[in-house]
Amino acid sequence: MQHNKEFIEAQARIFKALGHPSRLLMVDALRDGEKCVCDLQALVGDDMSTISKHLTVLRDAGVVTRRKQGVNIYYSLALCCLDQFLACTGQLLEKRILSQMDMLRNK
């Protein structure tokens, strides 16, 4: 597939949606499976209005999907490769931290 400007801009919107610590925290929690909005709100600790705005950004970018059951709304990951991406970036960070610890020990 040719990567034209519109395609790259659409990909950038996904990365932008993931670029906020609260949204990334919610997405990381969704790696374990579907979560109620109330669970995500308790995890992040922001007010429900802020959580709702974050989830709208993630949903509009195609990162998460939602379903309503009674009065509750449940979110799950829609971007299937995100689990591998987060695991990969986590490994990179671990390597950096271990390298920095080694440098400090060897001083």
Side-chain angles (χ1 to χ4, degrees), residues 69-103:
Q69 182 176 341
V71 297
N72 293 318
I73 299 175
Y74 294 87
Y75 280 84
S76 59
L77 284 181
L79 193 57
C80 60
C81 61
L82 196 53
D83 187 49
Q84 292 174 323
F85 177 75
L86 292 174
C88 178
T89 57
Q91 290 171 0
L92 173 68
L93 292 173
E94 284 180 23
K95 286 179 185 178
R96 284 184 184 171
I97 290 168
L98 291 173
S99 176
Q100 290 171 350
M101 289 172 61
D102 283 343
M103 286 175 42

Side-chain angles (χ1 to χ4, degrees), residues 25-91:
L25 182 62
M26 289 188 280
V27 166
D28 188 54
L30 292 173
R31 292 169 64 195
D32 294 331
E34 184 179 69
K35 301 275 187 285
C36 176
V37 172
C38 57
D39 295 330
L40 296 171
Q41 191 263 336
L43 173 71
V44 175
D46 286 339
D47 60 85
M48 194 56 80
S49 173
T50 302
I51 297 299
S52 178
K53 289 175 187 174
H54 284 310
L55 288 167
T56 297
V57 169
L58 290 168
R59 192 177 77 246
D60 289 349
V63 175
V64 299
T65 60
R66 71 177 184 170
R67 71 175 180 86
K68 189 170 184 177
Q69 182 176 341
V71 297
N72 293 318
I73 299 175
Y74 294 87
Y75 280 84
S76 59
L77 284 181
L79 193 57
C80 60
C81 61
L82 196 53
D83 187 49
Q84 292 174 323
F85 177 75
L86 292 174
C88 178
T89 57
Q91 290 171 0

